[in-house]
Amino acid sequence: MISSPYDELHIYYLSGRLDAGSQVFAGGYLGNWEEEDTSFLFFSRPAGEEVNALLAGQPHLNLLDSFKMTYEQWQGGSIEPMQIGGFELRPPWRPGAENPPGENPRRLILDPGLVFGSGTHPTTADCLRALETAFSQNNPGTALDLGTGTGILALASAALGCRRVLAVDLNPLASATAARNVSANAMTDRILVVQGRAEALIDCPAELLVANLHYAVLDKVMAAPGFGKKLQVILSGLLRSEAKAAKERLRQRGFRIDRSWEHEQTWFTLYAVSASF
């Protein structure tokens, strides 16, 4: 068995966010996951000296904790090839990741890096199934993927035939990871990855909207003028009460619920079409 790309991870958990343009790290730096007003710095080796230098130069930052773990521990398990519907997902460090022309167009190379979105979460898997449903009913030429994470749903949309996909994520580490996956699958001519807020980009024209987001953000997305102009929408990341509220909001905005998926009565995914569709 080929091992994961990192032998071990050294993670430094900080309160505050790094100043823009911070370039203070030498070798071994893997990335910065920003969450609200906190930062998680990832290294492939111990980096106490570099982090202390960062704290000295940016006094608004504070070290809250540090961790050492394996890549599998961070991801919640080993990243293995998997089949979800007609999609075959393969990490690039596993055998058979190559996708020669003429072979299965739904075989996707997916390196989650330090970002969550390998396909193991039920909302991701159900979004892939929802995409297959959407494309079986229509062939949307344009799609907007909000909260793209690793880029998996944008890649799937392009693999199903979408000509142009805009993939959006607020987190810079996620958007960089998605861009690498787009390049690895030779889809840069069809998918554009941008860092930004979902609610700020919902008005971008697209026939299909895919949004796997926290409900607080989804609520803003559904209220935007551009939301009502989409022909097909897939909403996920919904808990039971949130799914009920989302269904009502969809009806108010002129959408018909075509199909829904649920996982253990906890996670819900909705596929809806415009009344004008």
Side-chain angles (χ1 to χ4, degrees), residues 217-234:
V217 181
L218 270 180
D219 193 45
K220 296 176 183 178
V221 165
M222 289 187 288
F227 181 82
K229 298 179 181 179
K230 305 298 185 280
L231 297 179
Q232 300 166 278
V233 299
I234 296 170

Side-chain angles (χ1 to χ4, degrees), residues 231-249:
L231 297 179
Q232 300 166 278
V233 299
I234 296 170
L235 306 181
S236 194
L238 299 163
L239 298 174
R240 186 186 307 176
S241 60
E242 297 168 345
K244 182 178 179 180
K247 288 178 181 179
E248 181 58 31
R249 179 65 70 88

